[in-house]
Structures are given as C-alpha cells and as structure tokens.
Amino acid sequence: MSFNVAGRGALITGAASGIGLAASRSMLGKGLQSLVAYDLNPSLPDVAEELRKEFPGTEIITHVADVTDPTSLQAAFATPLDGGRPLTIVSNNAGIGGADWEKTLAVDLSAVIMGTSMGLARFKKEAAGGVIVNVASMAGLAPMSFDPVYTAAKHGVVGYSRCFQHLIKKGIRVNCLCPAFTDTPLVQGLVDDPKFGPAGKMAIESLGGLIPMENVVSAFMGLVENEDNNGAVMTVTNAHGIMPMKFPLDP
Ligand code: NAI
C-alpha cells in the first residue's frame, strides 16, 4: 500500500543541506503541501525561498535553531499548518560528524529521541497517522573505527527506531535510513579533516565510493511511501543498492 505525500505536512531537521534538503525537494516534487524546515544554518530562510520559487503554492515554514534545544524543537513540532492540515511526516535527519563526544551524542542521538517523541505526540494528538524517518547511517550497523562516538550514536538511533512497530495499530510507522558515505557537505567536511585520515578514505573506497544522492533519496521515499515499511532499517550502499537490514530474531 502506498502512503502518498501529496497534500500532506512534513517536518524535517537538517533541511538546509545534503540529505535533508534533497528529501524535502523530492517530497515537494510529489505534491507535499506544507514543510516545516528546521536547521541551525542561517542560510535556511534563503533555501526556503528557493524552494517556494521551485514549488509555488506550497507552505514552507522555517525554524533556524539547534535540534539540541528542546524549547525550539518543541515550538517547531507545535507549528500549525495551513488549513489545520495535520503533520504526518517527520524526519529527524540533522547530524554531525567529527565533533566532541558530548556534542555528537546530543545531536546525533538525544535530539533524534526528542524529535521522535515530539513527532509521535503530535501524530497521536491529531490522530491522522504518520511516518517518521530517522536518519542513522551504515555506522549504525557496523563499526566506523575512526569515529566510535558517531558509531555509538547511530547504533542508538537504529535500536531506538525499531521499538515502535506496535504503533501500526494507530497508523503510525517509525523507520530508519542507513546510508553509507554519501556525497554531501558533511562528508566533504570529514574528508578535509586531518583526523579523518587514510582510514576514512579507505572506508569510502571499500564501500564503492560516495553514493549518489538520488539513491539515498529513493530509499528515503520508500520508507515514507511504502506502508510495508514499519520498523524498517534501510541500508544504502553502492555495492548492494537499497536493501532492508535483517536482524537476528526478525520474523
Ligand atoms: P549535511 O551537513 O549536508 O546536512 C546536515 C544538516 O544538519 C546541515 O544543514 C546542518 O546545518 C544541520 N545541522 C547539524 N547540526 C545541527 C543541529 N545541532 N541543529 C540543527 N541543525 C543541524 O549532512 P548530511 O550528509 O546531509 O547529513 C544528514 C544526516 O545523514 C546526518 O544525520 C548524517 O549523520 C547522516 N548520514 C550522512 C551520510 C553521508 O555520507 N553524508 C552517511 C550516513 C548518514
């Protein structure tokens, strides 16, 4: 069954750049009507203006704030949408690499937990169902030895996101996206960071190079649109394409 994005309302964190921006653009292209875009990058309003020009008639609301600030994040999740449209798509996507351990856990794990609980609370209040896509990483499934804290945070996101399959009774799904290295500013930043070193570059090469953004967006859209995906953890690699992760004890 298909969960069409046309006419719906969505909230995406980390929407100013990379995967968040590409996923926003893809949903707007499919007729998404309202987008709440959240990012600490001050360029977000300019990005939103571009999107409004590209997709005339859509409602795009920006929140320039840090996902680790619960008050700002809660305000974004409380945003009323045009005509009382319910919020039915959420992506906790904002993430960082290469930061100190406390900041990494705060952005890459704690904020995803906050965003998921705020999203679920809104879905339950509006009783229109919904889907959450939490953006983890292949580092949520395998060790990325040059950044153990990022690895820990992303493993946390995978485990956490798999805990809500029972909510399907209320028409709510929580899924998780696990791309390998994708061609985005985050990765460019890492590649240029001397701490990343040869191990990081080798890891990229061993996985067949940087993944084209369209493959990651296609996996994202599958997690939103395909209602069979409930508690799914979707991997994206150049070697194997888009593939759901099988876990021990999976039925
Ligand atoms: P990006 O750097 O292009 O975009 C991330 C966005 O999040 C930026 O616009 C940034 O300003 C925003 N952001 C960062 N910290 C924030 C905070 N504290 N509060 C609000 N906004 C914040 O990076 P990319 O690659 O698009 O990353 C998106 C997600 O995908 C992240 O969770 C990342 O860990 C994950 N990911 C990325 C991969 C890659 O190779 N690019 C691979 C696997 C996962």
Side-chain angles (χ1 to χ4, degrees), residues 136-150:
S137 163
M138 282 302 282
L141 297 165
M144 195 164 88
S145 53
F146 52 86
D147 199 340
V149 180
Y150 183 83

Side-chain angles (χ1 to χ4, degrees), residues 13-22 38-44 63-69 92-97 103 106-108 111-112 134-139 150 154 177-188 190 204 210-211 213 216 236:
T13 67
S17 163
I19 296 170
L21 177 56
Y38 193 104
D39 203 299
L40 52 59
N41 191 322
S43 72
L44 183 65
H63 289 262
V64 178
D66 195 313
V67 283
T68 63
D69 173 12
N92 295 297
N93 158 76
I96 50 168
K103 180 81 184 162
V107 176
D108 289 350
V112 173
N134 287 333
V135 180
S137 163
M138 282 302 282
Y150 183 83
K154 296 298 189 178
L177 181 64
C178 289
F181 296 101
T182 308
D183 197 2
T184 69
L186 183 140
V187 166
Q188 291 306 338
L190 269 182
I204 294 179
L210 294 180
I211 305 173
M213 182 60 83
V216 175
V236 193

Side-chain angles (χ1 to χ4, degrees), residues 28-247:
L28 289 164
K30 289 189 171 210
L32 185 80
Q33 190 54 42
S34 299
L35 174 69
V36 181
Y38 193 104
D39 203 299
L40 52 59
N41 191 322
S43 72
L44 183 65
D46 294 337
V47 171
E49 202 40 47
E50 284 302 308
L51 292 175
R52 284 186 201 103
K53 282 187 201 140
E54 241 175 279
F55 305 101
T58 53
E59 179 189 28
I60 301 179
I61 301 158
T62 56
H63 289 262
V64 178
D66 195 313
V67 283
T68 63
D69 173 12
T71 309
S72 302
L73 197 61
Q74 185 56 69
F77 274 94
T79 309
L81 305 182
D82 264 355
R85 175 176 301 109
L87 182 76
T88 52
I89 302 168
V90 166
S91 179
N92 295 297
N93 158 76
I96 50 168
D100 72 64
W101 73 269
E102 282 169 310
K103 180 81 184 162
T104 302
L105 287 183
V107 176
D108 289 350
L109 179 57
S110 304
V112 173
I113 293 173
M114 278 200 291
T116 304
S117 31
M118 289 172 187
L120 292 177
R122 173 122 183 206
F123 289 174
K124 286 176 186 167
K125 188 165 155 222
E126 294 182 313
V131 60
I132 297 182
V133 177
N134 287 333
V135 180
S137 163
M138 282 302 282
L141 297 165
M144 195 164 88
S145 53
F146 52 86
D147 199 340
V149 180
Y150 183 83
T151 302
K154 296 298 189 178
H155 272 69
V157 172
V158 171
Y160 177 78
S161 303
R162 296 179 64 221
C163 291
F164 301 96
Q165 294 171 38
H166 56 286
L167 295 180
I168 195 71
K169 294 194 294 278
K170 296 182 193 297
I172 294 173
R173 298 175 290 125
V174 179
N175 293 316
C176 191
L177 181 64
C178 289
F181 296 101
T182 308
D183 197 2
T184 69
L186 183 140
V187 166
Q188 291 306 338
L190 269 182
V191 171
D192 296 339
D193 183 339
K195 276 190 293 181
F196 190 65
K201 287 179 186 147
M202 269 167 58
I204 294 179
E205 278 158 27
S206 73
L207 292 168
L210 294 180
I211 305 173
M213 182 60 83
E214 58 263 33
N215 296 10
V216 175
V217 170
S218 169
F220 177 96
M221 292 308 298
L223 291 172
V224 171
E225 294 176 319
N226 182 347
E227 290 183 309
D228 292 337
N229 286 321
N230 174 35
V233 175
M234 201 59 76
T235 65
V236 193
T237 59
N238 277 337
H240 302 288
I242 300 170
M243 209 167 67
M245 181 68 191
K246 273 276 175 206
F247 291 89

